[in-house]
Structure formats: structure tokens, C-alpha cells
Amino acid sequence: MNRHIAALNAYPFDRLRSLFGRAEGNPELPPLALHIGEPRHAPPAIVLESLQQNTAASLGSYPLSRGLDTLREAAADWLEIRFGLPQGSVNPNTMVVPVAGTREALFSFCQAVISDEHAGPLVAMPNPGYQIYEGAAILAGAEPHYINTTAATGFLPDLASVDAATWQRCQLLYLCSPGNPTGQVLDIQAWQQALRLADQYDFIIASDECYSEIYVEPQPPPLGLLQACQQLGRTDFNRCVVFHSLSKRSSVPGLRSGFVAGDANILRDYLLYRSYHGCAVNNAIQLASAAAWRDETHVQANRSLYAQKFAAVTPVLSPHIDLYQPQGGFYFWAGVNGDEQTFAQKLFAAQNVSILPGSFMSRATTSGDPGQGRIRISLVPELDACIEAAHRIATFTQHEWIREI
Ligand SMILES: Cc1ncc(COP(=O)(O)O)c(C=O)c1O
């Protein structure tokens, strides 16, 4: 077997299952699951209708890795409108690749990018972060380098904390904005700093923007990497690739649909890689995806459902745990004043609410483990369930947890 497989870490949800072990959540209360980031709002009607119309016909042919023109054009148009890019600046034929969700794309991109030409390849990533970045680096034979995001760094990765020797080995930098789990958004200065480093040390930036459409208005929509490039006069998007998904934007995680866009030279090689990798997206899914990218009405409705949840849950939780309002995404990254794993375990036992211990998404570094003492609360259940969960967490912190700490 590939020796790197043994180096992979257990996935956070498997770790949560092990943490709970055979313990049952409080049987007197119905279970409430706020640990997983799986959107649960109803899928948009335009997606369902399109699937109904096109599924049967799609089954008789192999889809192409480069995808349908219709989808690439819809994605390019969406990028230009959403991120204020000049019309025609995203060439749908050379700058967009449809993917079967960003998870596989974030993973496969790293396999395509990492070169063993130079000794000791390294992939840098935010800590805490989406675990796929780490697994992708390990399986590509690169060393993951964790860049801490803490309260002191505004819950964004502090690129200045990375030394020159590390950047010299870096071939790929993953950034996530809005971040999972912190919800914070990189501003133009942060993107400029990342781009300067990428040029200086010759690496690629993979910007995971799958939460870009989930934010609470009137906050401005999160800035994206291609938008930052445009503002900085980098119109060829050199070294830059963004990852967009319908899973969160359109609440269709089961559709498995997203796209990668940016630097045409990188995407040409990535597309060649993908023709071997073989996860071309079914044509009916592509047509439904094109319809979804061309519609903003359902996205607006989806966004306001999350905004309602933040508005309802914040006053219930904020007196009891250390909360800040994220700039995007649908998570609270909250401090619990004590051990986060014990918190998760005892909350489950007392209130039948599951949340994710922060340390299941973070790694210990020489300057500490930024997930310690934090939990991720995912506002994916229906509004009433989120409110009920918030009350149960509040009750727990006032009784069982106060005795514990
Ligand atoms: C930060 C981040 N990136 C990417 C993904 C993958 O999303 P999908 O594969 O559904 O596009 C997720 C899913 O939870 C995520 O949290």
C-alpha cells in the first residue's frame, strides 16, 4: 500500500463517534446535531426540475472531464458578476473546470500540483482547517504546514508567522475565506500579502471559497481571490485558483457540484490530470448546476435563513460561551472556558446536543493548539432546532459545565 495512507488522520466525525463511544445522548431529549456542516435547507426548485428533465438522457453517455460549455459559461458569468470582474475576463474554455464538489477538487488539485523535483515539498494551510487539505498534502508526499489562526490573529492565518525556510519549500498554500471553522474573511491586504509571498517563493494559492455566499447582510459579500487579483491589477490570475461549490450556496450537498477557476496554465495541466483521475460530472447534474449558478433568488433566500438563525441564537448563547459574529459561513467558533472534548461529551450526555470539539479540526504546533478550548457549532438544522439547541447549551453551561470547570 501507499505508505502515506498510514499517516492520514482519522476524520473529525469519526473522532467524535469514538469520543462518544457507546454513550447515549440524554434519552429524555430528542437528538440535535450541530456538529456537521451539511446544509439542510430545501433544495431549489430549479435544480430539481432540471434534474427531472435531464437525468434519463444523461445516463447514456460518458460526461467529459472539461464539462459542458453551458456550465463553464454559467460559472464564468457568475464569477464576473459576483466578484465585479470585467466582462470577458474569465474565459470559460481555459479558466474554468467543473468538479464533483470542491472536496474532491481540493484533494485532486494537490495531487496534480505537487512536484518531487525539489526536495521536501510542503503544503501550507490554516490551522484549524478543513481536513482534506492535510490529507491531500500527505498523499501527495508533501509535508503539511499548519498556520495558526487565533483570537490574536483575528481568526485568520498569520502568514507573517511563517519563516522563509518554510516558504522556500512551499509549493501550495490553501486558504479558506470565509474560513471553516472561524468564518473570517481575508481582506485585500491579506490577499496582497499572500500574493507577494507566492511570487517571491514560487508557489500556487488554492483559495477555498465554498462559503462565499453565506454571510449576514448588510455585511458586504466576502472578497474573493480573483477579485483581489483584479483589484491589484493581476488580470491573468497568475498562480491563483479558486474553488466554488453549490453545496452551501444552493444547499445541495448531495448534488456534488462545484468548479475550479483561475490561472489558465495551471488549469490546463489540472484538466489533463483529471482526465485520468476520472471524476467527470454527470451531464444532468451539470445542466442543473448551470441553472443554479444563473439564479440568485434562491441564494438570497438561503442566506436569509442563516441570518435568522444567527439573530435568534446569538442572544441565547452569548452570555454563556465566548462568541463572536463570523463574517461568513454558518458556524460559531466559540470558546468554552475548559476542555473542548469534555464539553462535547458532557453536553451530549446531558442535553443530547452534538457539537464538534475544536481540537478535532486543529493540530498542535510549537506555538500551541488553536482548537483547544473551542467548539464549532454548525447552524444547519431548522431554525427552531437551532434555537432549542442554543437553549440546551445555555442550560448545560449553567449547570453541568459550571460544576466541571
Ligand atoms: C472548507 C470546506 N471546503 C470544502 C468543502 C467541501 O464541499 P463540497 O465538496 O460539498 O463542495 C467543505 C464541506 O464541508 C468545507 O467545509
Side-chain angles (χ1 to χ4, degrees):
M1 293 297 282
N2 180 336
R3 69 189 167 87
H4 298 306
I5 292 176
L8 293 173
N9 287 298
Y11 214 60
F13 307 120
D14 296 329
R15 291 182 67 188
L16 191 65
R17 262 190 295 277
S18 310
L19 178 72
F20 291 165
R22 265 186 249 124
E24 297 287 332
N26 182 345
E28 288 166 21
L29 295 166
L32 293 172
L34 284 79
H35 59 286
I36 193 162
E38 182 181 67
R40 310 251 175 79
H41 300 157
I46 44 162
V47 168
L48 295 175
E49 282 156 19
S50 177
L51 285 174
Q52 256 158 15
Q53 273 167 28
N54 300 307
T55 298
S58 76
L59 300 178
S61 51
Y62 283 117
L64 299 175
S65 295
R66 69 168 183 277
L68 299 173
D69 293 351
T70 328
L71 174 56
R72 290 197 317 278
E73 283 159 13
D77 288 349
W78 179 80
L79 280 174
E80 289 174 2
I81 296 165
R82 163 64 176 83
F83 294 107
L85 308 175
Q87 209 181 354
S89 58
V90 180
N91 182 335
N93 295 322
T94 58
M95 294 181 171
V96 179
V97 175
V99 296
T102 47
R103 180 178 177 141
E104 69 88 354
L106 288 159
F107 178 82
S108 58
F109 186 71
C110 185
Q111 314 312 307
V113 159
I114 295 303
S115 160
D116 57 9
E117 231 174 317
H118 307 286
L122 180 144
V123 176
M125 61 197 69
N127 184 32
Y130 185 47
Q131 193 158 315
I132 296 302
Y133 313 145
E134 177 194 65
I138 291 171
L139 285 173
E143 182 188 330
H145 180 82
Y146 309 103
I147 311 178
N148 288 349
T149 77
T150 62
T153 67
F155 296 107
L156 288 167
D158 179 13
L159 301 183
S161 68
V162 180
D163 61 32
T166 303
W167 285 129
Q168 250 139 23
R169 289 172 53 206
C170 181
Q171 295 188 13
L172 178 64
L173 167 66
Y174 283 109
L175 290 170
C176 184
S177 180
N180 173 8
T182 71
Q184 295 306 79
V185 170
L186 287 131
D187 63 14
I188 189 71
Q189 285 79 19
W191 284 122
Q192 191 167 23
Q193 184 188 19
L195 288 163
R196 212 181 299 120
L197 288 163
D199 287 340
Q200 186 178 350
Y201 294 104
D202 189 21
F203 60 79
I204 293 171
I205 304 177
S207 175
D208 180 353
E209 302 182 4
C210 73
Y211 292 94
S212 69
E213 305 316 289
I214 314 295
Y215 53 92
V216 176
E217 285 163 296
Q219 280 189 93
L223 185 71
L225 173 57
L226 300 188
Q227 189 176 13
C229 286
Q230 177 67 35
Q231 290 179 10
L232 297 166
R234 200 184 178 96
T235 46
D236 55 1
F237 308 132
N238 192 19
R239 302 183 189 287
C240 296
V241 173
V242 296
F243 294 73
H244 281 280
S245 172
L246 289 175
S247 301
K248 327 284 178 188
R249 173 186 180 271
S250 301
S251 209
V252 285
L255 192 67
R256 311 310 303 129
S257 180
F259 67 83
V260 180
D263 184 324
N265 290 323
I266 297 173
L267 291 186
R268 188 192 50 236
D269 288 349
Y270 179 49
L271 183 58
L272 178 61
Y273 173 91
R274 287 183 71 79
S275 62
Y276 287 85
H277 188 78
C279 31
V281 183
N282 163 285
N283 284 345
I285 291 179
Q286 292 194 55
L287 292 170
S289 303
W293 288 114
R294 292 208 180 274
D295 181 67
E296 288 299 325
T297 311
H298 76 277
V299 184
Q300 180 70 50
N302 190 33
R303 188 156 50 233
S304 47
L305 286 176
Y306 288 115
Q308 279 173 33
K309 293 178 191 176
F310 276 111
V313 163
T314 303
V316 181
L317 285 180
S318 56
H320 307 289
I321 54 176
D322 178 18
L323 282 191
Y324 64 92
Q325 289 300 311
Q327 293 169 304
F330 45 58
Y331 304 110
F332 276 123
W333 180 239
V336 293
N337 191 21
D339 181 74
E340 69 293 340
Q341 294 191 33
T342 313
F343 185 97
Q345 233 170 355
K346 301 223 164 207
L347 174 67
F348 181 63
Q351 297 288 342
N352 213 351
V353 173
S354 34
I355 49 85
L356 198 63
S359 54
F360 287 4
M361 292 194 74
S362 64
R363 298 288 175 260
T365 68
T366 48
S367 44
D369 182 337
Q372 261 177 10
R374 295 209 159 257
I375 57 168
R376 191 188 75 171
I377 302 174
S378 175
L379 297 184
V380 294
E382 291 303 325
L383 176 64
D384 287 352
C386 286
I387 296 172
E388 166 70 20
H391 282 291
R392 289 199 213 164
I393 294 171
T395 307
F396 169 73
T397 56
Q398 292 167 88
H399 298 101
E400 291 85 356
W401 188 237
I402 213 105
R403 283 201 298 275
E404 178 73 26
I405 51 177

PDB file of all heavy atoms in Angstrom, residues 338-365:
ATOM      1  N   GLY A 338     -12.576  25.814  29.045  1.00  0.00           N
ATOM      2  CA  GLY A 338     -12.302  24.476  29.581  1.00  0.00           C
ATOM      3  C   GLY A 338     -12.002  23.534  28.433  1.00  0.00           C
ATOM      4  O   GLY A 338     -11.873  23.969  27.288  1.00  0.00           O
ATOM      5  N   ASP A 339     -11.897  22.259  28.767  1.00  0.00           N
ATOM      6  CA  ASP A 339     -11.521  21.271  27.759  1.00  0.00           C
ATOM      7  C   ASP A 339     -12.675  21.016  26.785  1.00  0.00           C
ATOM      8  O   ASP A 339     -13.780  20.629  27.183  1.00  0.00           O
ATOM      9  CB  ASP A 339     -11.123  19.964  28.453  1.00  0.00           C
ATOM     10  CG  ASP A 339     -10.709  18.921  27.437  1.00  0.00           C
ATOM     11  OD1 ASP A 339      -9.604  19.053  26.884  1.00  0.00           O
ATOM     12  OD2 ASP A 339     -11.519  18.008  27.150  1.00  0.00           O
ATOM     13  N   GLU A 340     -12.406  21.219  25.510  1.00  0.00           N
ATOM     14  CA  GLU A 340     -13.467  21.181  24.495  1.00  0.00           C
ATOM     15  C   GLU A 340     -14.012  19.765  24.270  1.00  0.00           C
ATOM     16  O   GLU A 340     -15.194  19.604  23.965  1.00  0.00           O
ATOM     17  CB  GLU A 340     -12.966  21.795  23.174  1.00  0.00           C
ATOM     18  CG  GLU A 340     -11.910  21.032  22.412  1.00  0.00           C
ATOM     19  CD  GLU A 340     -10.555  20.957  23.097  1.00  0.00           C
ATOM     20  OE1 GLU A 340     -10.264  21.784  23.980  1.00  0.00           O
ATOM     21  OE2 GLU A 340      -9.764  20.042  22.746  1.00  0.00           O
ATOM     22  N   GLN A 341     -13.170  18.757  24.474  1.00  0.00           N
ATOM     23  CA  GLN A 341     -13.657  17.382  24.263  1.00  0.00           C
ATOM     24  C   GLN A 341     -14.593  16.986  25.407  1.00  0.00           C
ATOM     25  O   GLN A 341     -15.629  16.369  25.196  1.00  0.00           O
ATOM     26  CB  GLN A 341     -12.494  16.408  24.154  1.00  0.00           C
ATOM     27  CG  GLN A 341     -11.658  16.659  22.918  1.00  0.00           C
ATOM     28  CD  GLN A 341     -10.655  15.555  22.645  1.00  0.00           C
ATOM     29  OE1 GLN A 341     -10.901  14.390  22.928  1.00  0.00           O
ATOM     30  NE2 GLN A 341      -9.527  15.918  22.078  1.00  0.00           N
ATOM     31  N   THR A 342     -14.206  17.369  26.612  1.00  0.00           N
ATOM     32  CA  THR A 342     -15.068  17.087  27.768  1.00  0.00           C
ATOM     33  C   THR A 342     -16.395  17.822  27.603  1.00  0.00           C
ATOM     34  O   THR A 342     -17.472  17.279  27.890  1.00  0.00           O
ATOM     35  CB  THR A 342     -14.368  17.547  29.074  1.00  0.00           C
ATOM     36  OG1 THR A 342     -13.039  17.082  29.048  1.00  0.00           O
ATOM     37  CG2 THR A 342     -15.073  17.045  30.309  1.00  0.00           C
ATOM     38  N   PHE A 343     -16.308  19.050  27.123  1.00  0.00           N
ATOM     39  CA  PHE A 343     -17.526  19.846  26.900  1.00  0.00           C
ATOM     40  C   PHE A 343     -18.460  19.094  25.951  1.00  0.00           C
ATOM     41  O   PHE A 343     -19.652  18.923  26.227  1.00  0.00           O
ATOM     42  CB  PHE A 343     -17.141  21.223  26.327  1.00  0.00           C
ATOM     43  CG  PHE A 343     -18.300  22.179  26.168  1.00  0.00           C
ATOM     44  CD1 PHE A 343     -18.567  23.146  27.143  1.00  0.00           C
ATOM     45  CD2 PHE A 343     -19.126  22.128  25.045  1.00  0.00           C
ATOM     46  CE1 PHE A 343     -19.638  24.041  26.994  1.00  0.00           C
ATOM     47  CE2 PHE A 343     -20.193  23.014  24.891  1.00  0.00           C
ATOM     48  CZ  PHE A 343     -20.451  23.965  25.872  1.00  0.00           C
ATOM     49  N   ALA A 344     -17.896  18.625  24.826  1.00  0.00           N
ATOM     50  CA  ALA A 344     -18.720  17.940  23.819  1.00  0.00           C
ATOM     51  C   ALA A 344     -19.362  16.675  24.399  1.00  0.00           C
ATOM     52  O   ALA A 344     -20.556  16.415  24.203  1.00  0.00           O
ATOM     53  CB  ALA A 344     -17.863  17.590  22.601  1.00  0.00           C
ATOM     54  N   GLN A 345     -18.532  15.920  25.137  1.00  0.00           N
ATOM     55  CA  GLN A 345     -19.008  14.658  25.718  1.00  0.00           C
ATOM     56  C   GLN A 345     -20.136  14.898  26.723  1.00  0.00           C
ATOM     57  O   GLN A 345     -21.179  14.250  26.689  1.00  0.00           O
ATOM     58  CB  GLN A 345     -17.833  14.045  26.471  1.00  0.00           C
ATOM     59  CG  GLN A 345     -17.535  12.654  26.107  1.00  0.00           C
ATOM     60  CD  GLN A 345     -16.200  12.222  26.720  1.00  0.00           C
ATOM     61  OE1 GLN A 345     -15.472  13.010  27.340  1.00  0.00           O
ATOM     62  NE2 GLN A 345     -15.890  10.952  26.537  1.00  0.00           N
ATOM     63  N   LYS A 346     -19.908  15.844  27.617  1.00  0.00           N
ATOM     64  CA  LYS A 346     -20.885  16.086  28.696  1.00  0.00           C
ATOM     65  C   LYS A 346     -22.149  16.749  28.154  1.00  0.00           C
ATOM     66  O   LYS A 346     -23.244  16.494  28.634  1.00  0.00           O
ATOM     67  CB  LYS A 346     -20.257  16.950  29.781  1.00  0.00           C
ATOM     68  CG  LYS A 346     -19.028  16.290  30.362  1.00  0.00           C
ATOM     69  CD  LYS A 346     -18.954  16.391  31.856  1.00  0.00           C
ATOM     70  CE  LYS A 346     -17.927  15.374  32.297  1.00  0.00           C
ATOM     71  NZ  LYS A 346     -17.969  14.810  33.516  1.00  0.00           N
ATOM     72  N   LEU A 347     -21.983  17.609  27.157  1.00  0.00           N
ATOM     73  CA  LEU A 347     -23.163  18.249  26.540  1.00  0.00           C
ATOM     74  C   LEU A 347     -24.053  17.184  25.886  1.00  0.00           C
ATOM     75  O   LEU A 347     -25.283  17.205  26.004  1.00  0.00           O
ATOM     76  CB  LEU A 347     -22.704  19.281  25.499  1.00  0.00           C
ATOM     77  CG  LEU A 347     -23.811  19.926  24.664  1.00  0.00           C
ATOM     78  CD1 LEU A 347     -24.704  20.821  25.536  1.00  0.00           C
ATOM     79  CD2 LEU A 347     -23.230  20.755  23.519  1.00  0.00           C
ATOM     80  N   PHE A 348     -23.396  16.246  25.223  1.00  0.00           N
ATOM     81  CA  PHE A 348     -24.124  15.153  24.568  1.00  0.00           C
ATOM     82  C   PHE A 348     -24.875  14.326  25.621  1.00  0.00           C
ATOM     83  O   PHE A 348     -26.067  14.039  25.488  1.00  0.00           O
ATOM     84  CB  PHE A 348     -23.119  14.301  23.791  1.00  0.00           C
ATOM     85  CG  PHE A 348     -23.714  13.155  23.044  1.00  0.00           C
ATOM     86  CD1 PHE A 348     -24.625  13.365  22.016  1.00  0.00           C
ATOM     87  CD2 PHE A 348     -23.343  11.840  23.346  1.00  0.00           C
ATOM     88  CE1 PHE A 348     -25.168  12.293  21.314  1.00  0.00           C
ATOM     89  CE2 PHE A 348     -23.878  10.772  22.647  1.00  0.00           C
ATOM     90  CZ  PHE A 348     -24.789  11.001  21.638  1.00  0.00           C
ATOM     91  N   ALA A 349     -24.170  13.982  26.697  1.00  0.00           N
ATOM     92  CA  ALA A 349     -24.784  13.150  27.737  1.00  0.00           C
ATOM     93  C   ALA A 349     -25.934  13.891  28.420  1.00  0.00           C
ATOM     94  O   ALA A 349     -26.987  13.319  28.686  1.00  0.00           O
ATOM     95  CB  ALA A 349     -23.724  12.755  28.770  1.00  0.00           C
ATOM     96  N   ALA A 350     -25.760  15.177  28.691  1.00  0.00           N
ATOM     97  CA  ALA A 350     -26.771  15.911  29.468  1.00  0.00           C
ATOM     98  C   ALA A 350     -27.908  16.418  28.601  1.00  0.00           C
ATOM     99  O   ALA A 350     -29.060  16.446  29.032  1.00  0.00           O
ATOM    100  CB  ALA A 350     -26.093  17.087  30.180  1.00  0.00           C
ATOM    101  N   GLN A 351     -27.593  16.840  27.364  1.00  0.00           N
ATOM    102  CA  GLN A 351     -28.595  17.565  26.571  1.00  0.00           C
ATOM    103  C   GLN A 351     -28.864  16.950  25.199  1.00  0.00           C
ATOM    104  O   GLN A 351     -29.662  17.482  24.440  1.00  0.00           O
ATOM    105  CB  GLN A 351     -28.140  19.027  26.390  1.00  0.00           C
ATOM    106  CG  GLN A 351     -28.033  19.812  27.682  1.00  0.00           C
ATOM    107  CD  GLN A 351     -29.405  20.135  28.277  1.00  0.00           C
ATOM    108  OE1 GLN A 351     -30.421  20.080  27.594  1.00  0.00           O
ATOM    109  NE2 GLN A 351     -29.442  20.456  29.569  1.00  0.00           N
ATOM    110  N   ASN A 352     -28.167  15.879  24.875  1.00  0.00           N
ATOM    111  CA  ASN A 352     -28.332  15.217  23.569  1.00  0.00           C
ATOM    112  C   ASN A 352     -28.105  16.191  22.395  1.00  0.00           C
ATOM    113  O   ASN A 352     -28.793  16.111  21.364  1.00  0.00           O
ATOM    114  CB  ASN A 352     -29.698  14.539  23.456  1.00  0.00           C
ATOM    115  CG  ASN A 352     -29.618  13.275  22.596  1.00  0.00           C
ATOM    116  OD1 ASN A 352     -28.584  13.014  21.973  1.00  0.00           O
ATOM    117  ND2 ASN A 352     -30.692  12.509  22.544  1.00  0.00           N
ATOM    118  N   VAL A 353     -27.163  17.098  22.576  1.00  0.00           N
ATOM    119  CA  VAL A 353     -26.767  18.028  21.501  1.00  0.00           C
ATOM    120  C   VAL A 353     -25.341  17.667  21.105  1.00  0.00           C
ATOM    121  O   VAL A 353     -24.471  17.539  21.978  1.00  0.00           O
ATOM    122  CB  VAL A 353     -26.793  19.492  21.992  1.00  0.00           C
ATOM    123  CG1 VAL A 353     -26.215  20.434  20.939  1.00  0.00           C
ATOM    124  CG2 VAL A 353     -28.215  19.912  22.346  1.00  0.00           C
ATOM    125  N   SER A 354     -25.080  17.459  19.802  1.00  0.00           N
ATOM    126  CA  SER A 354     -23.684  17.219  19.413  1.00  0.00           C
ATOM    127  C   SER A 354     -23.099  18.426  18.700  1.00  0.00           C
ATOM    128  O   SER A 354     -23.738  19.012  17.816  1.00  0.00           O
ATOM    129  CB  SER A 354     -23.526  15.944  18.584  1.00  0.00           C
ATOM    130  OG  SER A 354     -24.636  15.729  17.773  1.00  0.00           O
ATOM    131  N   ILE A 355     -21.902  18.788  19.134  1.00  0.00           N
ATOM    132  CA  ILE A 355     -21.114  19.859  18.508  1.00  0.00           C
ATOM    133  C   ILE A 355     -19.713  19.274  18.275  1.00  0.00           C
ATOM    134  O   ILE A 355     -19.413  18.172  18.748  1.00  0.00           O
ATOM    135  CB  ILE A 355     -21.056  21.131  19.395  1.00  0.00           C
ATOM    136  CG1 ILE A 355     -20.684  20.804  20.834  1.00  0.00           C
ATOM    137  CG2 ILE A 355     -22.394  21.857  19.376  1.00  0.00           C
ATOM    138  CD1 ILE A 355     -19.269  20.703  21.130  1.00  0.00           C
ATOM    139  N   LEU A 356     -18.874  19.994  17.565  1.00  0.00           N
ATOM    140  CA  LEU A 356     -17.543  19.453  17.255  1.00  0.00           C
ATOM    141  C   LEU A 356     -16.482  20.103  18.142  1.00  0.00           C
ATOM    142  O   LEU A 356     -16.366  21.336  18.151  1.00  0.00           O
ATOM    143  CB  LEU A 356     -17.226  19.734  15.776  1.00  0.00           C
ATOM    144  CG  LEU A 356     -16.114  18.898  15.162  1.00  0.00           C
ATOM    145  CD1 LEU A 356     -16.465  17.423  15.136  1.00  0.00           C
ATOM    146  CD2 LEU A 356     -15.817  19.384  13.743  1.00  0.00           C
ATOM    147  N   PRO A 357     -15.708  19.284  18.887  1.00  0.00           N
ATOM    148  CA  PRO A 357     -14.602  19.867  19.650  1.00  0.00           C
ATOM    149  C   PRO A 357     -13.602  20.519  18.689  1.00  0.00           C
ATOM    150  O   PRO A 357     -13.234  19.915  17.674  1.00  0.00           O
ATOM    151  CB  PRO A 357     -13.959  18.667  20.344  1.00  0.00           C
ATOM    152  CG  PRO A 357     -14.973  17.566  20.263  1.00  0.00           C
ATOM    153  CD  PRO A 357     -15.794  17.830  19.040  1.00  0.00           C
ATOM    154  N   GLY A 358     -13.164  21.733  19.003  1.00  0.00           N
ATOM    155  CA  GLY A 358     -12.273  22.466  18.103  1.00  0.00           C
ATOM    156  C   GLY A 358     -11.002  21.709  17.767  1.00  0.00           C
ATOM    157  O   GLY A 358     -10.498  21.782  16.644  1.00  0.00           O
ATOM    158  N   SER A 359     -10.488  20.952  18.736  1.00  0.00           N
ATOM    159  CA  SER A 359      -9.212  20.261  18.509  1.00  0.00           C
ATOM    160  C   SER A 359      -9.353  19.143  17.477  1.00  0.00           C
ATOM    161  O   SER A 359      -8.347  18.627  16.999  1.00  0.00           O
ATOM    162  CB  SER A 359      -8.664  19.706  19.825  1.00  0.00           C
ATOM    163  OG  SER A 359      -9.651  18.908  20.444  1.00  0.00           O
ATOM    164  N   PHE A 360     -10.588  18.752  17.111  1.00  0.00           N
ATOM    165  CA  PHE A 360     -10.749  17.754  16.047  1.00  0.00           C
ATOM    166  C   PHE A 360     -10.518  18.386  14.683  1.00  0.00           C
ATOM    167  O   PHE A 360     -10.459  17.687  13.671  1.00  0.00           O
ATOM    168  CB  PHE A 360     -12.141  17.113  16.106  1.00  0.00           C
ATOM    169  CG  PHE A 360     -12.319  16.154  17.265  1.00  0.00           C
ATOM    170  CD1 PHE A 360     -11.320  15.977  18.212  1.00  0.00           C
ATOM    171  CD2 PHE A 360     -13.478  15.418  17.404  1.00  0.00           C
ATOM    172  CE1 PHE A 360     -11.475  15.099  19.287  1.00  0.00           C
ATOM    173  CE2 PHE A 360     -13.656  14.529  18.462  1.00  0.00           C
ATOM    174  CZ  PHE A 360     -12.652  14.377  19.405  1.00  0.00           C
ATOM    175  N   MET A 361     -10.446  19.704  14.644  1.00  0.00           N
ATOM    176  CA  MET A 361     -10.184  20.398  13.368  1.00  0.00           C
ATOM    177  C   MET A 361      -8.823  21.090  13.377  1.00  0.00           C
ATOM    178  O   MET A 361      -8.499  21.816  12.439  1.00  0.00           O
ATOM    179  CB  MET A 361     -11.238  21.468  13.116  1.00  0.00           C
ATOM    180  CG  MET A 361     -12.620  20.919  12.849  1.00  0.00           C
ATOM    181  SD  MET A 361     -13.679  22.207  12.178  1.00  0.00           S
ATOM    182  CE  MET A 361     -13.062  22.375  10.509  1.00  0.00           C
ATOM    183  N   SER A 362      -8.059  20.906  14.439  1.00  0.00           N
ATOM    184  CA  SER A 362      -6.791  21.643  14.542  1.00  0.00           C
ATOM    185  C   SER A 362      -5.650  20.682  14.838  1.00  0.00           C
ATOM    186  O   SER A 362      -5.881  19.514  15.146  1.00  0.00           O
ATOM    187  CB  SER A 362      -6.898  22.679  15.659  1.00  0.00           C
ATOM    188  OG  SER A 362      -7.065  22.017  16.902  1.00  0.00           O
ATOM    189  N   ARG A 363      -4.437  21.196  14.764  1.00  0.00           N
ATOM    190  CA  ARG A 363      -3.252  20.397  15.072  1.00  0.00           C
ATOM    191  C   ARG A 363      -2.416  21.155  16.092  1.00  0.00           C
ATOM    192  O   ARG A 363      -2.350  22.391  16.048  1.00  0.00           O
ATOM    193  CB  ARG A 363      -2.409  20.168  13.801  1.00  0.00           C
ATOM    194  CG  ARG A 363      -3.157  19.390  12.732  1.00  0.00           C
ATOM    195  CD  ARG A 363      -3.333  17.910  13.103  1.00  0.00           C
ATOM    196  NE  ARG A 363      -4.142  17.187  12.125  1.00  0.00           N
ATOM    197  CZ  ARG A 363      -5.442  16.897  12.275  1.00  0.00           C
ATOM    198  NH1 ARG A 363      -6.077  17.251  13.371  1.00  0.00           N
ATOM    199  NH2 ARG A 363      -6.091  16.230  11.350  1.00  0.00           N
ATOM    200  N   ALA A 364      -1.757  20.385  16.959  1.00  0.00           N
ATOM    201  CA  ALA A 364      -0.851  21.003  17.928  1.00  0.00           C
ATOM    202  C   ALA A 364       0.389  21.494  17.188  1.00  0.00           C
ATOM    203  O   ALA A 364       0.913  20.798  16.312  1.00  0.00           O
ATOM    204  CB  ALA A 364      -0.462  19.982  18.984  1.00  0.00           C
ATOM    205  N   THR A 365       0.827  22.707  17.484  1.00  0.00           N
ATOM    206  CA  THR A 365       2.047  23.252  16.876  1.00  0.00           C
ATOM    207  C   THR A 365       2.958  23.729  18.003  1.00  0.00           C
ATOM    208  O   THR A 365       2.542  23.752  19.167  1.00  0.00           O
ATOM    209  CB  THR A 365       1.731  24.462  15.970  1.00  0.00           C
ATOM    210  OG1 THR A 365       1.280  25.535  16.807  1.00  0.00           O
ATOM    211  CG2 THR A 365       0.661  24.147  14.935  1.00  0.00           C
TER     212      THR A 365
END
